[in-house]
Amino acid sequence: MDIQPSKRRRLDHQSSDHDNEWSSTSGSEHEATQHSVSAKASSVKRDDTWKKQQSSISQPNRHEATMSLEGTAHADLFKLQLDELLRGLRPKYETKTTKLDSVIQKLRSIVERIPNQEALPLWCSPDIRIFSKALEVQKAFEQSNSVCIPFPTPIPTGTKILLAYTKPTNITVVGSYARKTSVLLDGKLTVDLAVTMPSSLFQANDYRDYRYFHKRAYYLACIAVEIQKAKVPALDLFFAYQDDSPLQPILIAQQSSDVDDKGRFHSRWRIRILLAVNDDVFTMEKTLPTRNSGGFGQFEWATLISLLMRDGGRTGRPILSIGHSSYQLFKAILQFLSSTDLISTPMLVQTNNFKLTHSENPILFDGSRGLNILYKMSRWSYRLLRDEAQNSLKALKDPLADHFRTFFISKVDERTKRFDYIFRVPVKKLDKEASNTNSISGLAERLYDKFYYGLGDRATLVYPEVPTTFPWPVGSRVPRTNKLPNISVGLLLNPEHSRRTVDKGPSVEDKSASATFRKFWGEKAELRRFKDGTILESLIWNTSDSKRAVIDLIISHVLDRHFSHIEHNSSNVYGDAFDRLLPQQMLLQSDMLGPFSAVMSSFGSLSKSIRSMEGLPLQIRQMFAASPELRYSSLFAPMTSKPDRPRKPVEILIQFEGSTRWPEDLLAVQRTKIAFLLKTAEGIGKDNHVSTVRLRLERSKRKLSEISCLDIKTRDGIIFRLRIYHERELSMLEQALNGRLPCSSPREEIALAISEHKRNFIHRPIHTQAVTTLATRYPLLSLTIRLLKKWRDSHLLSSHLMDELLELIAIRTFTCPYPWQPPGSLNSAFLRTLRFIANWDWQSDPLIIDFNSELSKQDIQSIRTRFDAWRKLDPYMNRVAMFAASNIDREGITWTDRRPAKIIAARFTKLARAACEVVKEKGLELKPEALFVPTLGEYDFVVYLKGGDHGVKKSSFKNLQMEDEEGDPFDAIYNPQQMFVDELQELYGDDIVFFYNESAISVIAGLWNPQTGPRNWKVGLGYSTMPLAKKEGEEQQVTINKAAVLHDIARLGGDMITKIDQR
């Protein structure tokens, strides 16, 4: 490809040839502080000489590149996708631009014919009388011409400005359109028309007090007046801010079309009229690096590539080569941005003995023009750029990442997903406090400085976001900042430190640092002696009294102390709302795994007790955790206190040493397990840690199902369920399936037993161990999984989506987080997970998780091959709809075999998409509870039950009361609602699809199986039927008797059911 790659994941950038002079590649920057249009001719001549020099360089300096370009061979697919993308973005110049060229020519001729105008004096003074006169001059111009001058703020004081218009020295089309390297943005083409203001309009001191910018605004208004008078057909005029800088208004002439209430265009092309000045207007000293503000766009991207093709290496040789492909250039620039800190180590290109003063802003200085290419970038925007570059490089190295989607499809600027925490500050109120600045960008800098210091290592990025001003009609006033709602500050948090409640400051012996610390924090700072004997300045954040998160407390304190008169409102903070939805509220706990400490400790004690038992027939080889409670992922963490809802027992496995005394019959193995469990119960019952032990035989229609287990209640109130794993049982089942071992069960039942055995005794323990390890590496993973399960349960999908599948989906947000870094708050983690579910094309793409970065490309391809085989074997996805594999389970169907069904998978995706739409619509006004409200109107019927949390206390239903009037020690796992659902599933599971929330069963929704609809009557249909009206000449048809089935359900539920609604 010969097209210049654009800024990361931005499709609205215009491309340019990589071998062009940077001043010619874009028309987006033509200001007093930059180059003149007239200087381009000489620049192009220099290009020819430079190209010849470059052609003689056979190899670029590989060491300078910090950017190895190896491995590009397996980027072929990525490059093919780029080629296809660019084909769709390139305009057809031959057929689409004829009318546009005529409009450009007409605009050029209009501007050329504008007559010189007499100088208009504008006196600017703090004196109210003189100031009023200045306003009168401005108002007179606007009333007579129907064009408002887009003067910037502040207005210069104590000076006289001569506003004048003389014919421009040059008018030319610049940028990508001139070189036919444009791209279409939303089907629209942008053209830059540069108008060079004559040097005679300016004086030597016009760089002071915003004088230049006022002259520039007046000149632009004069052009707007004449174009408006010309009444060009089907042409609308707007003012806009270039790069969101209020100092740089531009004029936009666009094809007539509707403009929405936010000022967004809906036309096929637009022409931006930009103003430029000649090189001799201001000396180079006036354009040296100073204060920055803005971003990094296509101009900076193209310029950076051009400069690095000339210089940048330690030995003065180029970093990049013209021989590199577009993909190589793209990757190389990412590596340069991520590995080079241009704040701490400014980069000077083509400079001789130049001494640079200290600056806190990024500097990429082009000595030949005396210009800092990154003059628009603020400190926070540069740090965000580097963060994005680093994330992009990680994505390129990750074989599981979809590179094309990551860079060019995924929308990354949604604040609720990009940032972990966001707070808003009213601009109008803040403006009164900003005594040292008079611009919105200055306010943003002040916010950045204070919160960068105040948050410390809790935040990896502080990003003030100034509200965007959309284009406005030329006859209207400039939208003022006091009409804007607020400045929002986005935070990227470090989850390891963000919830810390104690901050250690400087030592008391460091007087200077201590004084700075106390000046910043005020009365909040206090002197403390710590356990190691050190005496330090410190901060204590008491979350228990305020019921607020630590980050929220810090934000409030910094605003109150350094931005007084601003009333901090908790509704202006977005970042911890989802935490409050979790049971055993995690908001106020610095240890996010804290609720599970009791069950983990109890399991450790129980393991020691069982291992130390004597008198067992065989020695214990190993014990396994096989439950969500023991991998920090259950919605409700086991509690030692009396529960307010039914609990699930904590599943654990025990494996005895091998022995030839085990029977060779499958049913005999089950009986042997019962004997071992009885012996284990006899021994463990004597342990001081154990309260009660009970052998349990579960009901099952299948002979080969695992039915025996041992319920163990510890002294701390936690109930464990112990099962025995026999390593030869799987081999015996496989032999029975192949006919090599006698077994009376049908083959289908044996196959189900094999699948169940693998899931429960092989994959689940390994999965538990892997998730436990990841949960300690990513502290927020546990919260994300738990909230995702709550969302699933809230939408009545508990029985259709296995816990392990949801855990894999949530894990992907952390192990493959692109296009972002791993989330730093539950808000961003949960919303990104929903976004993945909404976009996951599970019919065509498998879910592949790599727990510890061990999957090679060959391994991934092998998993994809298995997925393709399943799609060929089961094209209608009747058995496997979703395919979820990992490095520890490459089969891909362990957690998705037979569930979710295709219809459930589609609903899962639909619900996630609906949630994402709500998030996008509400933005920072989102109420998280709204995402957890189920929609019951889509079901065929809904059964309402009494008390969704019922089951812990003594039952009020006579047929369900416990025999033991004093209470059963295992009543915590007694759940009559779940028993009722299980009974319905067993009786009507083939005819009805049931939906319910297993954590609080208050409603049971149902959909009739389409196969129960009208059909020819025959014996043994398996459900209650009713005849339909018979048509002459046709067989008698029947359909399911819905009323009878619902009547039976009501009778089975008895007093437990309050009502049944039928659609």
Side-chain angles (χ1 to χ4, degrees):
M1 292 181 294
D2 61 350
I3 198 75
Q4 169 65 36
S6 58
K7 181 185 174 184
R8 182 180 188 269
R9 296 192 302 279
R10 289 285 300 273
L11 299 182
D12 58 336
H13 291 159
Q14 298 175 335
S15 303
S16 56
D17 294 337
H18 61 38
D19 58 348
N20 288 334
E21 173 74 26
W22 66 264
S23 60
S24 304
T25 56
S26 174
S28 63
E29 303 299 331
H30 294 268
E31 290 304 321
T33 55
Q34 298 185 48
H35 58 286
S36 67
V37 176
S38 60
K40 291 184 177 180
S42 59
S43 298
V44 174
K45 291 180 181 179
R46 291 194 300 269
D47 281 343
D48 296 334
T49 305
W50 171 70
K51 289 179 184 177
K52 295 177 181 179
Q53 295 173 349
Q54 282 289 323
S55 62
S56 64
I57 301 176
S58 59
Q59 292 291 334
N61 191 330
R62 299 292 181 181
H63 176 71
E64 312 296 358
T66 58
M67 40 189 92
S68 65
L69 300 174
E70 71 277 1
T72 55
H74 28 262
D76 289 342
L77 175 61
F78 183 42
K79 290 192 287 185
L80 288 174
Q81 291 172 319
L82 286 180
D83 289 337
E84 187 66 25
L85 172 69
L86 291 173
R87 268 193 289 270
L89 294 177
R90 290 191 183 107
K92 297 179 180 179
Y93 291 94
E94 298 79 9
T95 60
K96 299 294 184 182
T97 60
T98 304
K99 182 177 179 180
L100 177 58
D101 288 338
S102 65
V103 175
I104 294 173
Q105 186 60 36
K106 190 170 186 63
L107 291 177
R108 186 201 304 265
S109 63
I110 292 173
V111 177
E112 288 175 343
R113 292 197 304 267
I114 299 176
N116 295 343
Q117 299 181 17
E118 185 178 351
L120 178 67
L122 181 66
W123 284 92
C124 300
S125 171
D127 188 301
I128 187 64
R129 292 170 298 177
I130 300 178
F131 181 73
S132 299
K133 186 176 180 180
L135 292 179
E136 290 177 4
V137 172
Q138 178 181 352
K139 187 177 297 185
F141 176 90
E142 295 172 351
Q143 290 178 348
S144 61
N145 297 292
S146 298
V147 171
C148 293
I149 306 174
F151 281 138
T153 55
I155 296 176
T157 58
T159 184
K160 176 183 178 182
I161 302 177
L162 292 178
L163 303 178
Y165 182 92
T166 57
K167 291 186 177 182
T169 58
N170 195 6
I171 304 174
T172 184
V173 176
V174 296
S176 55
Y177 182 79
R179 297 186 176 276
K180 295 188 177 182
T181 56
S182 299
V183 294
L184 298 174
L185 170 61
D186 296 329
K188 180 173 59 184
L189 181 63
T190 299
V191 180
D192 289 343
L193 183 65
V195 177
T196 305
M197 301 169 64
S199 303
S200 59
L201 293 177
F202 302 100
Q203 298 174 343
N205 291 332
D206 277 351
Y207 68 91
R208 296 178 177 176
D209 298 325
Y210 301 92
R211 300 176 195 174
Y212 159 75
F213 297 104
H214 279 73
K215 290 186 176 182
R216 179 191 186 282
Y218 177 79
Y219 197 92
L220 190 67
C222 291
I223 295 176
V225 168
E226 296 302 322
I227 295 177
Q228 185 167 263
K229 288 180 180 178
K231 296 182 179 180
V232 181
L235 193 71
D236 296 330
L237 294 179
F238 296 88
F239 285 129
Y241 286 145
Q242 182 175 325
D243 303 312
D244 277 337
S245 172
L247 298 177
Q248 298 173 289
I250 60 175
L251 181 62
I252 295 179
Q254 69 160 33
Q255 184 181 19
S256 293
S257 62
D258 295 332
V259 179
D260 62 23
D261 56 355
K262 293 186 177 180
R264 296 191 178 94
F265 299 121
H266 300 282
S267 62
R268 288 180 297 176
W269 51 259
R270 66 174 182 171
I271 301 171
R272 304 196 310 167
I273 299 178
L274 314 173
L275 297 183
V277 295
N278 289 307
D279 286 339
D280 58 357
V281 172
F282 299 110
T283 62
M284 184 178 295
E285 288 75 12
K286 303 300 184 293
T287 62
L288 296 181
T290 55
R291 200 167 89 182
N292 299 9
S293 177
F296 188 92
Q298 69 269 30
F299 169 79
E300 287 78 13
W301 180 277
T303 303
L304 177 60
I305 291 181
S306 299
L307 289 178
L308 296 183
M309 283 183 172
R310 296 185 172 210
D311 205 337
R314 296 179 182 177
T315 59
R317 301 181 64 185
I319 289 180
L320 302 180
S321 168
I322 60 174
H324 288 156
S325 68
S326 59
Y327 172 80
Q328 289 176 314
L329 290 174
F330 177 68
K331 182 178 178 181
I333 291 297
L334 291 180
Q335 289 178 323
F336 174 82
L337 292 173
S338 62
S339 61
T340 307
D341 187 352
L342 296 177
I343 294 180
S344 61
T345 310
M347 183 174 179
L348 310 179
V349 179
Q350 296 181 343
T351 56
N352 295 320
N353 300 322
F354 178 74
K355 293 183 179 180
L356 184 66
T357 59
H358 174 72
S359 173
E360 295 183 351
N361 298 310
I363 294 177
L364 175 59
F365 189 71
D366 182 4
S368 62
R369 295 165 185 82
L371 177 66
N372 177 20
I373 304 304
L374 303 182
Y375 82 98
K376 291 193 304 180
M377 296 207 74
S378 60
R379 287 168 289 167
W380 56 89
S381 62
Y382 177 69
R383 288 192 167 97
L384 180 62
L385 174 67
R386 291 198 67 203
D387 182 76
E388 295 283 358
Q390 291 165 0
N391 292 339
S392 299
L393 277 181
K394 292 177 182 177
L396 282 175
K397 297 176 183 178
D398 192 338
L400 285 175
D402 185 339
H403 299 158
F404 182 73
R405 176 173 291 275
T406 296
F407 294 121
F408 300 106
I409 301 299
S410 297
K411 189 174 179 61
V412 300
D413 59 352
E414 294 182 42
R415 290 182 294 173
T416 54
K417 300 179 181 66
R418 164 177 269 181
F419 297 112
D420 299 317
Y421 221 92
I422 302 171
F423 66 93
R424 296 171 291 183
V425 179
V427 171
K428 187 174 181 180
K429 294 181 179 179
L430 182 60
D431 190 53
K432 296 178 181 179
E433 290 300 303
S435 58
N436 62 337
T437 181
N438 291 303
S439 66
I440 294 297
S441 59
L443 303 179
E445 286 213 20
R446 191 160 176 250
L447 280 169
Y448 175 80
D449 289 335
K450 299 302 181 184
F451 283 99
Y452 184 79
Y453 179 88
L455 292 170
D457 62 357
R458 284 186 171 88
T460 59
L461 178 71
V462 177
Y463 189 85
E465 190 171 0
V466 177
T468 299
T469 301
F470 293 102
W472 66 95
V474 294
S476 302
R477 292 284 184 136
V478 180
R480 296 299 180 187
T481 57
N482 57 8
K483 295 182 180 180
L484 300 174
N486 49 55
I487 289 180
S488 65
V489 182
L491 306 177
L492 292 182
L493 300 180
N494 183 344
E496 294 183 4
H497 303 296
S498 61
R499 300 187 179 219
R500 186 180 62 237
T501 57
V502 178
D503 287 339
K504 296 181 179 180
S507 170
V508 66
E509 299 176 354
D510 190 341
K511 303 297 183 182
S512 176
S514 295
T516 302
F517 188 85
R518 286 192 169 272
K519 181 180 179 181
F520 185 88
W521 293 109
E523 296 180 355
K524 187 67 179 176
E526 57 184 59
L527 207 58
R528 281 181 171 253
R529 182 189 296 273
F530 292 89
K531 292 182 178 180
D532 58 0
T534 57
I535 302 177
L536 304 174
E537 298 285 353
S538 60
L539 302 169
I540 307 298
W541 303 103
N542 193 341
T543 57
S544 58
D545 292 343
S546 61
K547 304 299 182 184
R548 294 163 62 189
V550 172
I551 295 293
D552 196 2
L553 294 176
I554 295 175
I555 291 172
S556 295
H557 183 82
V558 173
L559 286 177
D560 292 341
R561 177 161 180 80
H562 298 282
F563 303 92
S564 57
H565 308 299
I566 294 181
E567 182 179 352
H568 176 62
N569 191 333
S570 60
S571 64
N572 286 334
V573 177
Y574 179 89
D576 56 27
F578 283 98
D579 296 65
R580 304 176 189 274
L581 299 179
L582 284 174
Q584 292 108 4
Q585 189 185 106
M586 300 295 299
L587 177 67
L588 307 178
Q589 300 190 23
S590 58
D591 181 9
M592 286 173 266
L593 305 180
F596 295 91
S597 58
V599 67
M600 288 295 187
S601 176
S602 184
F603 174 63
S605 301
L606 181 62
S607 298
K608 293 179 180 178
S609 300
I610 294 178
R611 290 176 182 275
S612 62
M613 280 195 312
E614 298 179 355
L616 293 176
L618 295 174
Q619 293 295 318
I620 296 173
R621 175 185 295 176
Q622 199 166 357
M623 287 193 67
F624 304 98
S627 176
E629 289 81 4
L630 294 176
R631 55 178 182 262
Y632 308 108
S633 65
S634 60
L635 177 57
F636 297 95
M639 301 175 62
T640 56
S641 59
K642 188 174 182 179
D644 58 354
R645 57 175 44 84
R647 295 178 179 176
K648 283 186 175 181
V650 181
E651 297 275 353
I652 59 176
L653 304 178
I654 187 172
Q655 180 183 10
F656 291 97
E657 64 181 1
S659 172
T660 57
R661 298 171 62 186
W662 280 92
E664 294 293 328
D665 180 80
L666 288 170
L667 296 180
V669 167
Q670 297 296 327
R671 298 188 183 97
T672 304
K673 287 184 178 182
I674 294 175
F676 271 85
L677 289 175
L678 288 171
K679 195 66 176 178
T680 303
E682 180 182 338
I684 197 64
K686 302 174 183 178
D687 190 85
N688 293 330
H689 180 67
V690 175
S691 171
T692 311
V693 182
R694 176 182 292 171
L695 178 67
R696 177 185 177 88
L697 298 179
E698 298 175 324
R699 185 178 62 175
S700 177
K701 290 183 178 180
R702 300 196 302 267
K703 295 181 181 179
L704 299 179
S705 295
E706 188 75 22
I707 61 171
S708 60
C709 57
L710 193 66
D711 286 347
I712 305 171
K713 185 174 183 179
T714 60
R715 296 288 181 185
D716 50 20
I718 297 176
I719 299 175
F720 292 89
R721 179 160 290 173
L722 177 68
R723 302 183 189 273
I724 296 178
Y725 166 52
H726 176 40
E727 67 274 11
R728 292 199 62 250
E729 192 170 0
L730 177 60
S731 176
M732 295 169 64
L733 287 170
E734 291 174 343
Q735 291 178 24
L737 183 65
N738 297 329
R740 297 198 301 267
L741 186 69
C743 183
S744 59
S745 300
R747 285 178 55 85
E748 183 179 356
E749 182 179 329
I750 298 174
L752 288 174
I754 291 175
S755 176
E756 189 177 89
H757 181 90
K758 287 182 177 180
R759 182 186 307 117
N760 294 333
F761 294 101
I762 298 177
H763 293 297
R764 187 160 280 142
I766 298 175
H767 177 84
T768 299
Q769 183 179 5
V771 174
T772 302
T773 302
L774 274 186
T776 56
R777 184 191 309 171
Y778 300 108
L780 286 167
L781 175 59
S782 171
L783 304 188
T784 307
I785 293 174
R786 296 175 66 196
L787 191 59
L788 185 61
K789 291 181 179 179
K790 180 180 178 67
W791 182 78
R792 171 203 62 183
D793 294 349
S794 298
H795 292 285
L796 312 183
L797 298 177
S798 301
S799 61
H800 299 284
L801 297 163
M802 298 187 68
D803 284 350
E804 289 80 3
L805 173 61
L806 293 188
E807 290 164 10
L808 291 176
I809 291 174
I811 286 170
R812 186 196 176 279
T813 303
F814 292 83
T815 60
C816 190
Y818 319 110
W820 301 285
Q821 65 181 16
S825 73
L826 180 57
N827 278 35
S828 58
F830 178 67
L831 294 181
R832 292 180 194 177
T833 304
L834 284 184
R835 173 183 174 273
F836 167 74
I837 297 172
N839 295 332
W840 180 22
D841 182 8
W842 42 265
Q843 300 184 51
S844 305
D845 296 324
L847 172 64
I848 305 176
I849 301 298
D850 194 352
F851 282 88
N852 48 15
S853 303
E854 70 175 26
L855 286 178
S856 64
K857 294 184 180 295
Q858 292 74 20
D859 296 332
I860 296 172
Q861 185 56 45
S862 175
I863 293 174
R864 294 186 183 276
T865 301
R866 183 182 292 273
F867 168 76
D868 293 337
W870 266 109
R871 285 295 180 256
K872 292 179 181 179
L873 182 67
D874 182 23
Y876 298 106
M877 293 172 281
N878 293 323
R879 178 177 173 182
V880 178
M882 291 180 167
F883 187 95
S886 67
N887 61 305
I888 59 175
D889 173 25
R890 305 188 184 189
E891 294 184 2
I893 63 169
T894 300
W895 316 115
T896 59
D897 191 4
R898 294 179 176 83
R899 62 170 174 162
K902 183 168 61 174
I903 186 176
I904 304 299
R907 178 162 180 79
F908 184 50
T909 302
K910 181 181 178 181
L911 288 170
R913 287 175 181 168
C916 290
E917 285 299 321
V918 172
V919 173
K920 183 177 180 180
E921 177 185 350
K922 297 296 183 180
L924 302 185
E925 306 300 327
L926 174 70
K927 302 296 182 184
E929 297 83 359
L931 303 183
F932 294 80
V933 178
T935 302
L936 301 179
E938 299 178 351
Y939 298 102
D940 292 330
F941 65 87
V942 179
V943 180
Y944 293 87
L945 307 181
K946 287 182 180 179
D949 291 342
H950 180 79
V952 177
K953 299 178 181 179
K954 183 178 179 180
S955 176
S956 60
F957 308 115
K958 292 183 178 180
N959 61 326
L960 297 176
Q961 287 181 356
M962 289 292 189
E963 296 179 0
D964 187 356
E965 295 295 335
E966 297 181 356
D968 188 275
F970 292 96
D971 61 358
I973 61 175
Y974 173 67
N975 189 344
Q977 284 83 9
Q978 184 64 56
M979 295 166 64
F980 177 54
V981 172
D982 293 342
E983 189 75 15
L984 293 180
Q985 192 68 47
E986 185 174 339
L987 293 173
Y988 304 107
D990 295 333
D991 310 324
I992 304 173
V993 182
F994 291 102
F995 301 84
Y996 62 92
N997 178 354
E998 68 176 4
S999 60
I1001 307 178
S1002 59
V1003 296
I1004 303 172
L1007 291 175
W1008 302 104
N1009 190 326
Q1011 295 181 357
T1012 63
R1015 59 184 302 174
N1016 292 336
W1017 179 86
K1018 67 176 183 178
V1019 178
L1021 283 178
Y1023 51 85
S1024 176
T1025 61
M1026 60 182 295
L1028 297 175
K1030 184 179 180 181
K1031 297 181 180 179
E1032 186 177 352
E1034 295 182 356
E1035 295 186 15
Q1036 177 65 57
Q1037 287 198 324
V1038 296
T1039 186
I1040 190 170
N1041 191 339
K1042 298 178 180 179
V1045 172
L1046 293 179
H1047 177 74
D1048 290 342
I1049 290 176
R1051 186 176 59 178
L1052 181 64
D1055 293 339
M1056 185 184 296
I1057 297 178
T1058 59
K1059 67 174 180 176
I1060 298 179
D1061 287 342
Q1062 184 176 3
R1063 187 173 62 176

